[in-house]
């Protein structure tokens, strides 16, 4: 489209021409390889969907160049020629759809999830991965240099258009750069700048020697590590012209390492385009294309970055996981049809770092592309009634309508969104409403009949006459039985009451619970100037959140007015406080005026009584079945929609 003409203009890059300036960067997705590490149909069709969707360039993530450096267990292995036939099958399948297709080459070093880690020095990673790596010998280093060149040669023979060296994010090459990982005193030691980049330059030259000068090789490196004794922007500005002189096809500028103060994969609390300034700075020191990344989810923002000359190509990783068709929809001007990444980090990076297959909170199809039919319309349309307009209800209604059913969706409330509508009111978390707005837009596009302020009762059933019913009626907070709770003089309310605005908290508040909702309401209240003490009876806080998302929320709660207590055993509630133990300490709180309950949720499914003895099939999903996170609710909803 003309208003996105900068993003959707072609770009010359390393002797290639990409149809547009949108790159799907390498992301370790942790699925789609066999026991040898050879790629399979599952990973191939994941990329086919995104090539068909209009991406200009794509990179396969985490291609392991050596067994010691495989970051995660289910990533492509590139260290023997046996991988080539599977790579060729993959590229033959993907490339007809028009995207330039590359493989990222990486070695995890001390950030690898196995017990044979190696690194420049025997210093453990500052976070996430545990264990002391073995220090590399000179012979080891020479072997690893050669392994990059050999892996690149295999990728070329396998049909990839280009390769990218991963020299950032705290992995092995980045470790050679940094004092916090490299204490060597030899020619690879972290002293002079030349020594620090020697490993990268040697393996770059080895790749070029084995693939030819005309084979495009890009480099991804950090603009900043954001950690003590790490790589800096000044370092990046010195490296850029060196790599250009060596023959790099492009420079892909990212940021962060395991344990950095700015996370490589930031959550919704971080501003969009958070690392663009780093690429912009590097671009001033280079004439080859520069790629930027960092919470860029809007095609309009990506277009503006290109227009303003801040970068030549924009990486949109998680956004293309969430919606493979993002480029095509953007080009067609159908921005409201783009399924949005929420920046929650839960299905993608959190799952992968738990050594599970990557997925997506808003897109249950991730990793299942090879199993799904292109046309899944029903042969027998039915009249379907969906009760509840939270993510589960909206998701089920959308999928059923997509398949050709006549759908009516109702809610006794006057607004759609369920509990997500309340979560979107929390500071920094308004982006969660993007999925509700997308689903509402889809419901409208698919001409689903919506009835709000309408309870599910016999009169509605008689009027709609459904052939199948979906109950997605949600959940509400469960009230615990604790000594003194119902006798206290403090105001007693729930997290839903506070977020709905049907109850007001006083100046000093006790929040009972340690869930995501409990911490979010704590942040909401603290932002309003309240003093809050959180009493969590469990060992951990907000376990249902991704570690990346939780990191930022916990940082927000580091206030003088907030106190978090875990593994609490409450002895009793007092008229103006509570007595509890935590560890070996007994604590008495006094002078408080409000208790907010935010522990367990209980399903709302009383409407099921309407169908006792009825022949109408009834499906209970989402929180009405069992309180759960959005990812599970949406997945269950879409799966049901496919089977009705």
């Amino acid at each position: 489209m003309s208003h996105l003409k900068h993003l959707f203009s072609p770009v010359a890059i390393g002797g290639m021409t990409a149809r547009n300036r949108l790159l799907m960067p390498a992301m370790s997705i942790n699925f789609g390889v066999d026991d040898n590490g050879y790629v399979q149909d599952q990973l191939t069709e994941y990329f086919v969907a995104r090539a068909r969707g209009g991406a200009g360039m794509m990179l396969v993530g985490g291609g392991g160049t050596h067994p010691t450096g495989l970051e995660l267990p289910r990533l492509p292995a590139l260290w023997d020629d046996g991988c080539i036939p599977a790579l060729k099958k993959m590229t033959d399948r993907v490339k007809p759809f028009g995207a330039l297709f590359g493989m990222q080459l990486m070695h995890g070093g001390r950030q690898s999830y196995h017990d044979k880690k190696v690194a420049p020095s025997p210093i453990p990673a500052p976070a996430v991965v545990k264990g002391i790596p073995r220090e590399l010998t000179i012979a080891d280093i020479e072997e690893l240099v050669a392994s990059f060149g050999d892996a690149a040669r295999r990728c070329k023979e396998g049909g990839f258009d280009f390769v990218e060296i991963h020299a950032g994010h705290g992995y092995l090459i980045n470790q050679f750069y940094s004092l916090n990982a490299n204490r060597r005193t030899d020619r690879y030691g972290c002293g002079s700048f030349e020594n620090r980049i020697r490993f990268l330059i040697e393996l770059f030259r080895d790749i070029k020697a084995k693939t030819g000068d005309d084979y495009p090789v890009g480099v991804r490196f950090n603009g900043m590590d954001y950690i003590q004794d790490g790589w800096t922007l000044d370092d990046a500005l010195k490296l850029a012209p060196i790599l250009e002189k060596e023959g790099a096809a492009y420079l892909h500028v990212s940021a962060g390492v395991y344990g950095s103060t700015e996370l490589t994969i930031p959550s919704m609390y971080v501003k969009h385009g958070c690392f663009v300034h780093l690429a912009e700075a590097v671009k001033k020191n280079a004439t080859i294309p520069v790629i930027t990344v960092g919470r860029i989810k809007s095609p309009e923002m990506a277009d503006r970055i290109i227009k303003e000359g801040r970068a030549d190509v924009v990486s949109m990783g998680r956004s293309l996981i969430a919606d493979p068709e993002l480029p095509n929809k953007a080009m067609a001007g159908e921005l409201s049809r783009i399924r949005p990444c929420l920046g929650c980090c839960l299905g993608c990076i959190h799952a992968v770092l738990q050594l599970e297959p990557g997925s997506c909170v808003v897109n249950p199809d991730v990793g299942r592309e090879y199993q799904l039919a292109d046309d899944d319309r029903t042969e027998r349309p039915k009249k379907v009634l969906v009760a509840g307009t939270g993510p589960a209800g909206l998701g089920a209604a959308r999928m059923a309508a997509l398949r050709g059913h006549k759908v009516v969706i109702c809610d006794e409330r006057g607004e759609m969104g369920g509990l997500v509508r309340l979560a979107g009111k929390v500071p920094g978390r308004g982006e969660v409403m993007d999925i509700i707005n997308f689903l509402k837009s889809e419901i409208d596009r698919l001409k689903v009949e919506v009835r709000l302020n309408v309870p599910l009762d016999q009169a509605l059933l008689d009027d709609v006459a459904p052939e199948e019913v979906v109950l997605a009626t949600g959940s509400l907070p469960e009230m615990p039985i604790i000594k003194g709770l119902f006798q206290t003089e403090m105001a007693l309310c729930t997290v839903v009451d506070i977020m709905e605005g049907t109850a007001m908290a006083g100046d000093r508040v006790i929040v009972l619970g340690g869930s995501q909702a409990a911490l979010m309401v704590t942040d909401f209240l603290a932002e309003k100037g309240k003093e809050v003490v959180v009493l969590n009876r469990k060992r951990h806080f907000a376990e249902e959140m991704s570690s990346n998302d939780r990191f930022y929320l916990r940082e927000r709660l580091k206030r003088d007015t907030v106190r978090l207590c875990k593994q609490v055993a409450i002895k009793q509630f007092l008229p103006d406080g509570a007595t509890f133990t935590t560890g070996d300490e007994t604590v008495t709180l006094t002078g408080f005026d409000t208790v907010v309950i935010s522990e367990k949720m209980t399903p709302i499914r009383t409407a099921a009584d309407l169908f006792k003895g009825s022949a109408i099939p009834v499906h209970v999903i989402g929180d009405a079945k069992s309180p759960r996170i959005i990812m599970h609710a949406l997945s269950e909803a879409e799966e049901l929609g496919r089977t009705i």
Side-chain angles (χ1 to χ4, degrees), residues 207-502:
I207 290 172
K208 281 294 188 180
K210 291 171 179 173
T211 61
D213 286 339
D214 60 344
Y215 189 65
V217 181
V219 183
R220 189 175 206 187
F221 61 94
N222 281 357
M224 280 279 286
D225 280 359
Y226 291 108
I227 199 168
Q228 185 175 356
D229 293 330
W231 181 255
T232 67
L233 181 56
D234 287 341
D235 292 326
L237 298 180
K238 288 172 67 176
L239 179 63
I242 294 172
L243 290 173
E244 180 169 350
K245 186 177 180 180
E246 290 288 334
Y250 64 81
L251 307 175
H252 189 175
V253 184
S254 189
V257 303
Y258 289 5
S260 55
T261 55
E262 299 293 331
L263 302 189
T264 297
I265 304 175
S267 87
M268 67 181 75
Y269 286 104
V270 178
K271 70 175 184 178
H272 293 180
C274 55
F275 300 140
V276 174
H277 66 288
L278 301 173
E280 182 178 15
V282 169
K283 184 168 167 56
K284 294 175 182 177
N285 277 29
T287 61
I288 56 176
V290 172
I291 303 173
T292 192
V293 70
R295 283 271 287 149
I296 303 167
K297 68 181 244 182
S298 159
E300 293 165 305
M301 174 182 236
D303 186 77
R304 187 168 63 251
I305 290 168
I306 304 298
K307 177 184 177 182
E308 294 172 354
R310 304 179 72 190
D312 301 290
V313 177
V314 173
S315 282
M316 296 179 71
R318 286 177 286 172
S319 291
L320 280 167
I321 294 178
D323 194 338
E325 289 286 327
L326 180 151
N328 287 343
K329 291 175 181 177
M331 282 190 289
E334 298 177 332
L335 298 181
S336 65
R337 289 199 59 207
I338 295 173
R339 192 192 298 237
C341 167
L342 302 185
C344 64
C345 306
L346 187 61
C348 49
I349 185 61
H350 183 77
V352 165
L353 292 181
Q354 296 296 313
L355 305 186
E356 298 173 358
S359 57
C360 180
V361 164
V362 301
N363 183 4
D365 292 351
V366 172
R368 301 198 306 155
E369 293 87 353
Y370 72 120
Q371 297 174 323
L372 300 175
D374 290 337
D375 185 3
D376 194 30
R377 290 185 66 83
T378 182
E379 295 180 358
R380 183 187 176 281
K382 299 178 182 178
K383 190 74 171 286
V384 179
L385 175 64
V386 179
T389 60
L394 291 171
R398 171 183 175 270
M399 184 56 70
L402 281 171
R403 296 188 60 240
H405 295 296
K406 177 68 174 177
V407 183
V408 176
I409 187 168
C410 68
D411 201 305
E412 64 183 10
R413 294 183 177 275
E415 293 182 77
M416 298 190 217
L419 293 179
V420 176
R421 177 177 51 85
L422 305 183
K425 298 180 180 181
V426 176
R429 301 198 69 83
E431 213 162 320
V432 300
M433 276 299 291
D434 286 358
I435 186 58
I436 298 299
N437 293 332
F438 163 76
L439 291 170
K440 287 166 62 176
S441 176
E442 286 286 276
I443 290 297
D444 182 60
R445 181 179 70 87
L446 295 166
K447 296 180 169 46
V448 171
E449 182 182 349
V450 179
R451 302 190 186 188
L452 300 179
N453 295 309
V454 174
L456 177 57
D457 56 19
Q458 191 59 52
L460 180 65
L461 291 177
D462 292 342
D463 182 48
V464 174
E467 295 171 79
E468 299 213 26
V469 172
V470 179
L471 295 183
T473 42
S475 62
L476 50 76
E478 184 176 295
M479 298 299 289
I481 305 299
I482 302 174
K483 183 179 180 181
L485 179 61
F486 296 105
Q487 288 75 43
T488 182
E489 296 174 8
M490 296 181 287
L492 186 60
C493 57
T494 71
V495 59
V496 171
D497 297 331
I498 292 292
M499 299 312 302
E500 286 276 19
T502 57

